[in-house]
């Protein structure tokens, strides 16, 4: 088993964030409100929404669930988003993905007002991130990944980070985020040639490709920091990440586990974004 002092404990770091949010929210007369829109009956989405709802309740935040059947139209959803944008009691709005394919996800995400886009998926916030604006709402998973890397006290400037995965919600925003920290970035994807050799150069490795145990121990140099975003079922049926965690046992690396790494941080960062949106909307410094 990996030496426990080398494990980056996402569960503990997330819990610290949530405890701090709970303390700050308890001083407020009105609770922050997060609206969560979901469509259809995707089982994984149901679990994610339940986790967000529970974490919000634990810290005294209201989570308003708006669930729609599979036949809901884009027009109907746009009307709901419009009303939530105007509702001054709603501080954050998220649209749980994936959406059924008759709905245009980009169009719906774009309709969420930027200051309430606590997922940070809209074009305004992605653009603000690109230009390193402090006004950007940073997507929860990349924000959590950066927080986990920083928890190791590694000096980021000049480090080579290899990110495996280029999705709009993880890989791409994370590349901007780490670039803004003066890292040198390589973004790898399914068409990348010679991935092991690229990863071997990395000081920081973030795996976000959804391929069980893709990153092998002999791809990783000593002293590397590894963050595993992936959530997969291994061939043994157990939950595992994109990195071969067990194979890195005893190695001189720091690594997040799955579960207990990025997952809890994603929820904590979403609620932190909602709290920050609430403060901005109420002019609380
Ligand atoms: P995605 O399917 O949108 O993107 C996957 C990316 O990985 C693509 O860019 C693809 O080109 C790349 N890829 C696929 N196979 C590859 C390979 N063999 N080599 C190199 N690159 C490869 O996925 P996503 O939404 O970014 O999610 C990635 C993983 O992270 C999934 O397992 C997902 O469940 C997980 N995830 C976890 C959290 C969390 O909170 N823990 C949040 C978001 C996503």
């Amino acid at each position: 088993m990996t030496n426990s002092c080398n494990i980056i404990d996402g569960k503990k770091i997330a819990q610290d964030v949530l405890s701090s949010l709970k303390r700050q929210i308890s001083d407020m007369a009105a609770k922050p409100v997060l609206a969560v829109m979901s469509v259809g009956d995707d089982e994984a989405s149901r679990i994610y929404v339940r986790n967000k709802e529970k974490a919000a309740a634990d810290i005294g935040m209201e989570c308003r669930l708006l669930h729609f059947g599979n036949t809901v139209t884009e027009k109907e959803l746009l009307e709901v988003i419009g009303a939530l944008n105007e509702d001054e009691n709603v501080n954050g709005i998220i649209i749980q993905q994936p959406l059924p394919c008759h709905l245009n996800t980009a169009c719906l995400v774009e309709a969420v007002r930027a200051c309430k886009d606590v997922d940070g998926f809209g074009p305004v916030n992605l653009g603000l991130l690109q230009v390193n604006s402090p006004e950007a709402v940073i997507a929860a998973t990349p924000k959590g990944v950066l927080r986990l890397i920083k928890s190791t006290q590694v000096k980021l400037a000049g480090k080579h980070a290899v990110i495996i995965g280029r999705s709009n919600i993880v890989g791409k925003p994370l590349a901007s985020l780490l670039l803004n920290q003066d890292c040198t970035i390589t973004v790898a994807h399914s068409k990348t040639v010679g991935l092991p050799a690229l990863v071997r150069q990395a000081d920081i490795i973030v795996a976000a490709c959804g391929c069980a145990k893709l990153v092998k121990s002999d791809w990783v140099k000593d002293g590397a920091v590894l963050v595993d975003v992936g959530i997969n079922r291994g061939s043994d049926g157990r939950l595992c990440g994109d990195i071969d965690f067990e194979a890195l046992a005893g190695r001189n690396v720091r690594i997040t586990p799955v579960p207990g790494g990025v997952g809890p941080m994603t929820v904590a960062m979403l609620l932190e974004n909602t709290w920050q949106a609430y403060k901005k909307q109420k002019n609380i410094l």
Side-chain angles (χ1 to χ4, degrees):
M1 198 58 215
T2 304
N3 187 339
S4 64
C5 65
N6 291 348
I7 293 178
I8 306 170
D9 188 348
K11 209 167 159 185
K12 160 86 174 59
I13 298 167
Q15 199 47 58
D16 290 346
V17 172
L18 293 171
S19 301
S20 161
L21 290 177
K22 185 174 183 170
R23 268 195 308 278
Q24 296 174 74
I25 291 170
S26 68
D27 290 338
M28 298 294 132
K31 284 181 180 182
V33 176
L34 169 66
V36 179
M37 297 175 65
S38 61
V39 180
D41 42 23
D42 182 74
E43 181 54 29
S45 290
R46 236 202 317 259
I47 295 168
Y48 293 140
V49 169
R50 211 181 302 136
N51 288 345
K52 290 169 190 173
E53 187 186 17
K54 185 181 173 310
D58 284 348
I59 62 165
M61 188 179 279
E62 184 183 331
C63 190
R64 218 171 271 178
L65 300 185
L66 296 104
H67 184 73
F68 303 88
N70 260 319
T71 55
V72 72
T73 65
E74 207 166 291
K75 185 166 175 289
E76 286 168 319
L77 291 174
L78 285 170
E79 277 168 15
V80 174
I81 294 169
L84 293 171
N85 280 337
E86 294 304 325
D87 185 342
E88 61 181 33
N89 294 316
V90 172
N91 309 108
I93 305 166
I94 64 169
I95 303 167
Q96 186 66 41
Q97 297 183 33
L99 291 174
C101 32
H102 71 281
L103 298 168
N104 183 334
T105 303
C107 167
L108 292 166
V109 167
E110 198 172 333
V112 175
R113 193 171 287 162
C115 65
K116 296 191 177 187
D117 169 28
V118 290
D119 256 342
F121 292 164
V124 172
N125 283 309
L126 289 172
L128 290 169
L129 170 63
Q130 282 286 317
V131 297
N132 200 9
S133 163
E135 295 302 312
V137 179
I138 314 287
T141 301
K143 188 179 182 185
V145 169
L146 179 61
R147 205 65 75 82
L148 290 167
I149 295 169
K150 284 191 165 178
S151 77
T152 66
Q153 314 288 332
V154 66
K155 187 172 157 286
L156 287 170
K159 292 289 189 304
H160 184 190
V162 173
I163 300 166
I164 308 170
R166 60 171 163 188
S167 72
N168 291 336
I169 61 168
V170 187
K172 283 184 198 163
L174 183 62
S176 301
L177 208 52
L178 288 172
L179 194 58
N180 292 343
Q181 299 287 323
D182 297 326
C183 288
T184 301
I185 313 296
T186 299
V187 181
H189 48 81
S190 55
K191 302 282 190 291
T192 295
V193 175
L195 184 62
L198 282 174
V199 175
R200 273 185 203 110
Q201 299 171 29
D203 306 301
I204 296 164
I205 301 159
V206 182
C209 57
C211 303
K213 303 186 184 186
L214 176 76
V215 177
K216 310 294 180 228
S217 179
D218 66 356
W219 298 15
V220 177
K221 75 176 180 189
D222 273 349
V225 173
L226 297 100
V227 178
D228 197 343
V229 181
I231 306 173
N232 314 289
R233 287 267 165 220
S235 47
D236 56 2
R238 288 170 55 197
L239 215 58
C240 69
D242 294 343
I243 298 174
D244 194 350
F245 183 85
E246 280 80 19
L248 283 143
R251 291 280 313 274
N252 172 26
V253 296
R254 280 160 293 175
I255 184 168
T256 61
V258 177
V262 175
M265 283 305 282
T266 296
V267 176
M269 294 297 103
L270 170 69
L271 300 187
E272 185 179 272
N273 282 349
T274 307
W275 168 239
Q276 284 167 348
Y278 171 94
K279 286 198 296 181
K280 213 179 271 179
Q281 288 157 30
K282 300 214 176 298
N283 289 318
I284 300 169
L285 293 175

